[in-house]
Amino acid sequence: MSSLHTFDDSHLLSLLENSNANAFDVLYNRYWDRVLSLAYRKTGDLMEAENIVQDVFVSLWKRRKSLKITSDFSNYLFISVKYRTLKFLAKKASARSISLDLASDLLDNSTQEYLEFEEIRERLEILVDKLPEMGRLVYKMKSEDKSYKEIAAELNISEKAVDAHLLRARRKLRVELGSFLGCFFL
């Protein structure tokens, strides 16, 4: 194999065509660093650059019997690596575009859901304001996480009365919101 190092690329390619693995090794070792450097500069990802260069050399070995290189081998190799790099970058850009489209769709959906939530929240506030005074007070105080005991003490009513007012307020809101939501989601 040591004598093959002195051969030029065209002679090595003719040996490669006859499945000479040593000729392949010489070409591989002769160009690996340079084409890896090119792929790395273009991708910015060493692992991906190594994969690209490896794919080019694997393809070279697989097509060794039918390969007809009419120009300089180094040009052929650099063009092959550039092509595969461009293919990788296009695939990456496409994946990023799809990802951005999905993110955009999710944002659009979350924005729509937020607007719907805001509309429901505003409707709830209007309905709470329409409740009878005691029911409205009890409902708002309970919404502030006050206990039945605290509400009863503040309004000077029994805990049982707090429960009754809250039950009536919730029932009325459920009915009113139910009809609103039914129209809203149709």
Side-chain angles (χ1 to χ4, degrees):
M1 182 171 131
S2 62
S3 65
L4 292 179
H5 288 285
T6 59
F7 288 15
D8 67 356
D9 293 346
S10 60
H11 192 213
L12 290 170
L13 285 170
S14 65
L15 292 172
L16 178 64
E17 190 176 342
N18 294 318
S19 299
N20 186 319
N22 292 333
F24 177 80
D25 288 343
V26 170
L27 288 169
Y28 181 90
N29 291 324
R30 187 176 287 174
Y31 290 104
W32 173 263
D33 290 337
R34 288 189 272 174
V35 291
L36 178 63
S37 176
L38 171 69
Y40 178 66
R41 277 194 318 270
K42 298 292 183 189
T43 63
D45 182 336
L46 184 59
M47 185 179 286
E48 227 18 87
E50 287 176 345
N51 287 338
I52 289 168
V53 173
Q54 192 68 31
D55 287 348
V56 168
F57 276 105
V58 166
S59 175
L60 180 67
W61 178 257
K62 285 180 177 177
R63 298 180 316 132
R64 67 189 176 277
K65 293 191 184 280
S66 62
L67 196 63
K68 300 292 181 225
I69 300 174
T70 56
S71 65
D72 184 50
F73 176 70
S74 63
N75 287 342
Y76 168 82
L77 202 54
F78 282 105
I79 289 170
S80 296
V81 168
K82 281 183 183 179
Y83 172 75
R84 291 216 185 216
T85 302
L86 288 173
K87 195 172 172 182
F88 162 76
L89 292 173
K91 188 176 180 182
K92 187 176 175 182
S94 176
R96 187 179 309 125
S97 173
I98 290 169
S99 175
L100 289 174
D101 289 346
L102 288 174
S104 174
D105 287 347
L106 288 174
L107 288 175
D108 288 347
N109 288 345
S110 66
T111 302
Q112 183 63 33
E113 288 170 2
Y114 174 76
L115 293 173
E116 290 169 357
F117 172 78
E118 279 301 304
E119 191 171 346
I120 293 168
R121 190 186 58 74
E122 288 171 10
R123 178 68 178 170
L124 179 61
E125 284 179 22
I126 291 168
L127 292 173
V128 167
D129 287 341
K130 289 182 178 179
L131 289 172
E133 184 180 358
M134 192 57 78
R136 182 177 62 248
L137 289 173
V138 169
Y139 184 84
K140 285 184 175 183
M141 292 171 93
K142 188 61 181 160
S143 296
E144 296 168 358
D145 284 332
K146 291 188 177 186
S147 70
Y148 280 42
K149 191 174 191 173
E150 292 171 319
I151 296 169
E154 258 184 73
L155 296 177
N156 200 23
I157 58 175
S158 71
E159 288 181 42
K160 196 165 188 104
V162 169
D163 186 46
H165 284 294
L166 192 57
L167 186 65
R168 278 192 297 273
R170 286 180 175 164
R171 193 176 296 141
K172 183 157 180 69
L173 291 173
R174 192 176 306 122
V175 167
E176 292 292 327
L177 270 181
S179 62
F180 172 73
L181 291 175
C183 295
F184 189 79
F185 290 114
L186 290 179

